[in-house]
Every structure is written in structure tokens, then in C-alpha cells.
Amino acid sequence: QVQLVESGGGLVQAGGSLRLSCAASGGTFSRLAVGWFRQAPGKEREFVSAISRSGEKYYADSAEGRFTITRDNAKKMTFLQMDDLISEDTAVYFCAAVHTILTGFTRPRSMDMYNYWGQGTQVTVSS
């Protein structure tokens, strides 16, 4: 069983930056693909970014050019560097993971691709 814990959220002014971290335990991290999703008040959870086992990266249009996803297999962590933040980025950010050796990372942008989820970390961007 894989456990995920997010950290790094907080309050930041528009134009600022935050770096979210997702720490994994209970499994072989290098076998996991990892995604980031977010949920704003009153809205559905949406895809933000993902990274495959081999390091292939995926971004939502809203994140492209502003956010950067990376992974450190030795530390069993994934990072989401968020720059040039805007008020629309305010949300709870969730880390998610899935083993993809057998299935492949076929739907990185879909919530149902993932079977492990963290509890989330709040990001608030003030304008």
C-alpha cells in the first residue's frame, strides 16, 4: 500500500511562487507514475500535471509554462514548482500515484487512472 503526503502549500501573492512536495512511502517509488490535481471551492477536481516512471511530463493548459513537475526517485518524492501564480490557482492540491508497469500510463490526465491519493495541501493566491 502506497501512502502519499503533500506539503508546501500556503498563502502567496499573485505573481509569486510555491513548490509543492509529495512524499511517498510503502511502495517502490520508481514503479509509480505520479500526478497532481487540484480542487477549488465549488468546483470539480481537475488535472494539473503528471510525470511518468521514465520522466515524461504532462501539463494542463492552465499550468503549461508556469508549473514544472519533477521527481526524485532516491528521495521518493515528486515536486510541483509553481511560478507566476494567479488567483485562479487557489485550490487544494492533491498528489496521486499509480503503478504502471503492467498497464502503462495511458490516461495521465484522468483521475480514475490513479489509485493512491494524498490528503491535499491548500494553496491560496491573493490578488
Side-chain angles (χ1 to χ4, degrees), residues 79 107 126:
F79 305 97
R107 304 182 312 280
S126 63

Side-chain angles (χ1 to χ4, degrees), residues 9-18 20 37-41 43 46-48 60-67 80-94 121-127:
L11 174 64
V12 63
Q13 288 189 333
S17 298
L18 281 175
L20 304 184
F37 291 77
R38 69 186 182 186
Q39 187 165 17
K43 295 187 177 182
E46 64 177 7
F47 170 76
V48 177
D61 290 345
S62 60
E64 189 76 55
R66 299 189 300 126
F67 295 2
L80 186 67
Q81 177 68 39
M82 305 188 297
D83 299 318
D84 194 21
L85 285 162
I86 59 178
S87 58
E88 288 81 2
D89 295 320
T90 295
V92 178
Y93 284 70
F94 297 90
T121 185
Q122 176 70 48
V123 171
T124 303
V125 183
S126 63
S127 56

Side-chain angles (χ1 to χ4, degrees), residues 2-6 35-38 45 94-97 110-120:
V2 175
Q3 293 82 42
L4 303 172
V5 178
E6 304 93 335
W36 285 94
F37 291 77
R38 69 186 182 186
R45 195 170 298 187
F94 297 90
C95 175
S110 297
M111 288 179 55
D112 61 6
M113 181 75 214
Y114 303 86
N115 45 25
Y116 305 109
W117 290 84
Q119 294 300 307

Side-chain angles (χ1 to χ4, degrees), residues 51-107:
I51 188 166
S52 71
R53 293 185 295 115
S54 62
E56 187 172 4
K57 302 176 183 182
Y58 307 83
Y59 296 99
D61 290 345
S62 60
E64 189 76 55
R66 299 189 300 126
F67 295 2
T68 303
I69 190 169
T70 56
R71 64 187 294 157
D72 186 328
N73 287 346
K75 295 182 178 179
K76 297 185 178 181
M77 295 188 73
T78 305
F79 305 97
L80 186 67
Q81 177 68 39
M82 305 188 297
D83 299 318
D84 194 21
L85 285 162
I86 59 178
S87 58
E88 288 81 2
D89 295 320
T90 295
V92 178
Y93 284 70
F94 297 90
C95 175
V98 59
H99 289 100
T100 58
I101 289 180
L102 297 180
T103 62
F105 198 30
T106 56
R107 304 182 312 280

